[in-house]
Amino acid sequence: MTKFISVGKILNFHGIKGEAKVGCSKNQVDFVLSLESVYIKEDNEYKLLEITSSRPHKNIVLMTFEGINSIDELLKYKGSLLFVEESTIRESLDEDEFLIDELVGLDVCNIEDGKKLGFVIGVSNNGASDLISVKTNSKKICLIPFVKAIVPEVDIAGKKILINNIEGLLE
């Protein structure tokens, strides 16, 4: 079964010719602009939408779709998430890039002694770098910069992330 991953959301229309305002993560704009098609979920089915044009505009992407030529035709999709097949995203990932759902749930361990320090509960971005949210063994939630110096190894198969637990990082 094909797995779909959300890459954006139709926020509203732009102009009168069916152009959509699409919101997406700041670090995903180039990827979204490179897409030739997306899927939209309609009645629990994924419907393919061919992209006829896309361009960056302020903090969003403006996008037109084949067969949607007016506000009326676009309005039913307002608020809808846009999806791509997981394989499409995997092809664009660099060696040290991961999908968020691959990281959530992984154990976080000290690289020096292998001791479990907690587990990943989420991933966010502060503008400078990605951050992993870790729930520690003491039930605190800490944010760790997802950079090589602090997170030198991610072992998806072993279901763990090894970190350099510098003083004060998980307090």
Side-chain angles (χ1 to χ4, degrees):
M1 185 173 152
T2 303
K3 185 174 180 184
F4 293 92
I5 296 176
S6 174
V7 294
K9 180 177 182 178
I10 296 179
L11 304 173
N12 212 338
F13 57 86
H14 180 78
I16 61 170
K17 296 185 178 183
E19 191 170 34
K21 290 182 178 181
V22 175
C24 60
S25 299
K26 196 182 286 187
N27 59 346
Q28 289 294 322
V29 171
D30 289 339
F31 173 72
V32 170
L33 288 169
S34 74
L35 296 172
E36 296 177 6
S37 62
V38 292
Y39 291 85
I40 202 157
K41 196 170 185 180
E42 200 172 50
D43 301 325
N44 286 330
E45 296 285 326
Y46 289 93
K47 176 184 172 185
L48 182 68
L49 292 177
E50 295 291 335
I51 298 169
T52 54
S53 72
S54 61
R55 60 191 169 102
H57 178 71
K58 299 182 182 175
N59 295 324
I60 59 169
V61 172
L62 297 178
M63 195 174 280
T64 57
F65 306 101
E66 189 174 298
I68 298 176
N69 302 306
S70 71
I71 293 173
D72 293 337
E73 293 171 334
L74 180 66
L75 273 179
K76 70 178 183 176
Y77 299 119
K78 182 178 174 181
S80 297
L81 294 176
L82 299 178
F83 298 89
V84 295
E85 293 179 3
E86 181 181 24
S87 59
T88 303
I89 289 183
R90 289 206 180 279
E91 291 167 6
S92 72
L93 292 177
D94 291 335
E95 183 181 326
D96 60 346
E97 290 184 314
F98 307 93
L99 297 175
I100 291 172
D101 66 346
E102 289 179 311
L103 299 176
V104 173
L106 294 183
D107 289 337
V108 175
C109 303
N110 190 336
I111 197 163
E112 291 179 9
D113 58 13
K115 181 181 169 195
K116 181 179 173 185
L117 304 168
F119 63 95
V120 178
I121 59 170
V123 180
S124 59
N125 187 290
N126 68 0
S129 69
D130 289 324
L131 302 167
I132 53 174
S133 299
V134 176
K135 189 167 195 175
T136 66
N137 293 338
S138 62
K139 307 293 185 228
K140 288 183 178 178
I141 297 175
C142 300
L143 296 175
I144 299 175
F146 195 52
V147 295
K148 267 287 196 223
I150 297 171
V151 184
E153 188 177 333
V154 176
D155 181 1
I156 299 293
K159 298 187 182 205
K160 65 182 174 183
I161 293 176
L162 299 177
I163 67 166
N164 287 316
N165 189 18
I166 57 178
E167 190 176 333
L169 186 63
L170 293 176
E171 288 183 358

